[in-house]
Amino acid sequence: MLPCAAYVDGAYGLNGFYVGVPTVIGAGGIERVVEIKMNKTEQAMFDKSVDAVKGLVEACKGIDSSLA
């Protein structure tokens, strides 16, 4: 298991974003995202990270409307 920026589709209540999460990596790349329990402080830090990713996605869409 390694931390990696991975496409999340359902894990951690997220859909459609690449975020840093624990993953299992095999010969073909990421095999699965591993959900771990987080305490309130860890969850707050994770949420802040996800919000930063969402902000960057929106900024990119503002620069290039074809990304929307």
Side-chain angles (χ1 to χ4, degrees):
M1 183 165 53
L2 295 169
C4 184
Y7 185 78
V8 179
D9 189 20
Y12 296 99
L14 300 172
N15 288 305
F17 288 97
Y18 284 88
V19 294
V21 290
T23 61
V24 173
I25 300 177
I30 294 173
E31 294 181 352
R32 65 185 172 95
V33 171
V34 178
E35 288 195 65
I36 58 172
K37 287 191 173 203
M38 294 182 264
N39 64 35
K40 287 182 181 183
T41 302
E42 294 165 334
Q43 185 67 52
M45 289 187 291
F46 180 74
D47 292 342
K48 183 176 181 178
S49 177
V50 170
D51 288 343
V53 170
K54 289 178 179 179
L56 287 171
V57 169
E58 289 304 313
C60 289
K61 288 178 182 178
I63 293 168
D64 184 349
S65 61
S66 71
L67 299 172

